[in-house]
Structures are given as C-alpha cells and as structure tokens.
Amino acid sequence: MDQVTPRNPTEGEPTAIAIRLSRLQQLFNSFDPSPFHEKDLDQDAEEYIVGSVDDFPLTRPLKLVLQLPADQVAVAQALHLEAAIHNYFTYRSGEARRRMRFLFREGRIALLIGLAFLFMCTLVRQIAFTLGPYAAAQTVAEGLLIVGWVAMWRPLQIFLYDWLPIRHHCRLFAKLAAMPVEMRAADALPFQVHERAGTDEPQRPSAS
C-alpha cells in the first residue's frame, strides 16, 4: 500500500491516500458474514488508511483513492464501495464515542470513590493528631494524607489525560466517514507515489 499525492497539486486540492489492490475482496474481512455495505474492513487495510490519514492534520482535505484492476472498477462503483467504507468508519466513530461516554462514567464513579476515601483519610488523620505529638501519630497522619491523595490518581488520570486519544479517534473516524472515495484503474492514476514515513517499502493489505 502506498500513500500518494498529486504531481501538481493546486491549492485546496485534497491529498490522495491510495491503496493498490489486486482484487476488491482484499479490502474487506472475508470472515465477516454481514451484507456488503456492513462488512468490516480488512485489519491491515484499516490500519494503513487510519495511519495514513493520521499523518496529516485533521484540517487537511484528503481523499481515498482505490487503485483496482481495470475490470473491477465498474464492479466497485456498482457495489457503492464508497458507501460501504463510509458506513464502516461511521460505525467506528460511534464506537469511539461510546468508549468516551463509558470512560467519563468510570471517571465520575472513580471520582466519588476517591473523594469519599480522601475524606475518610482526612478524618482519621485528624483523629491521629489528637493522640499527641508522638512520632508514630505524625507518621500515621502523614501516611493517611498521602494514601488519600493517591486514591485520587485514577479519576485525575481519566479527566486530564485518558480521554484525549479517544477524542482524537472520534474526530479521525468522523473525518474518514465523510472522506471522498475514488475508484481508479491502477494504470490510469496521474499520481506520484510516495512511501509512507516510517516504512522501508510499500505495504499491501493481506489477501482475504
């Protein structure tokens, strides 16, 4: 699979992400019994598409170009391949949004538990101070304070950090769900092929 860009791109023209396929079935998971418009993409193909799009800013206009044998272009158009790809990434976008809702629900529960535990630790700490200015009482009091704040680590991690990559995937999949898809004959593409950064040679999706 290769990432490609136009030879002479004009301002505002979408950058093309291209996949070369020897047959249309390579794009989809052959073990998925769903109807064509609801099939899952092949894992290698999905990883390549998502990774290639993620190489660019979300604001950059992109399009997906499928390079097919000339005799399969008409078949792909007749099967409304663009709709099938958009349906899949719409599903993935919805899945990411559900993960976001679940994560925030988990964060709210963890926050309530953490606050309750911190309150209990603070209360016991105050009781420890009443035992006198002994070294053992001071150690227990400070230990309770530390343990109480450690209990707040999980909700703070969720609300400060964990939601960010999921939100990014929500936006990324939403972009993929609306990205234009073109079917072209493999020998008729006026594109200059570039290898994707981080790869030694072009990759291809595994045959289904």
Side-chain angles (χ1 to χ4, degrees):
M1 290 179 287
D2 303 310
Q3 178 180 302
V4 298
T5 54
R7 286 183 180 276
N8 298 301
T10 59
E11 185 176 357
E13 183 178 355
T15 300
I17 305 298
I19 299 181
R20 291 179 178 175
L21 302 171
S22 60
R23 54 193 179 91
L24 183 59
Q25 289 78 4
Q26 283 182 284
L27 191 62
F28 294 97
N29 183 353
S30 59
F31 295 102
D32 185 359
S34 304
F36 181 79
H37 287 166
E38 300 175 9
K39 276 186 175 293
D40 290 344
L41 292 185
D42 175 80
Q43 183 178 355
D44 290 342
E46 178 186 356
E47 289 178 357
Y48 176 79
I49 295 170
V50 173
S52 297
V53 172
D54 205 19
D55 285 341
F56 297 94
L58 285 171
T59 54
R60 173 78 67 85
L62 302 173
K63 63 180 177 180
L64 179 63
V65 178
L66 300 178
Q67 302 181 19
L68 296 164
D71 60 342
Q72 295 195 33
V73 173
V75 175
Q77 293 172 343
L79 290 173
H80 303 288
L81 184 60
E82 181 175 10
I85 294 173
H86 286 171
N87 287 345
Y88 176 74
F89 284 114
T90 298
Y91 165 76
R92 295 285 278 135
S93 177
E95 189 179 55
R97 288 194 297 270
R98 287 191 295 273
R99 285 178 56 203
M100 177 83 79
R101 289 194 297 269
F102 177 81
L103 181 68
F104 281 133
R105 183 167 66 247
E106 178 188 351
R108 289 190 294 270
I109 294 172
L111 180 61
L112 291 175
I113 294 173
L115 288 173
F117 186 75
L118 178 60
F119 174 78
M120 291 295 298
C121 288
T122 303
L123 183 62
V124 176
R125 180 173 181 265
Q126 295 301 319
I127 296 173
F129 279 131
T130 64
L131 299 178
Y134 302 106
Q138 293 287 335
T139 301
V140 170
E142 294 305 318
L144 286 169
L145 182 62
I146 293 172
V147 170
W149 281 110
V150 167
M152 294 294 295
W153 168 78
R154 178 57 181 161
L156 290 175
Q157 180 187 17
I158 290 174
F159 289 116
L160 291 178
Y161 305 111
D162 284 359
W163 66 277
L164 288 171
I166 301 177
R167 179 177 178 269
H168 175 72
H169 279 96
C170 287
R171 298 175 64 192
L172 184 63
F173 289 136
K175 179 176 181 176
L176 285 161
M179 187 170 64
V181 179
E182 296 181 9
M183 280 72 70
R184 302 280 186 87
D187 57 352
L189 280 170
F191 293 111
Q192 180 180 1
V193 178
H194 297 280
E195 294 181 9
R196 187 182 166 200
T199 59
D200 295 328
E201 58 183 2
Q203 301 176 348
R204 297 178 182 276
S206 59
S208 301

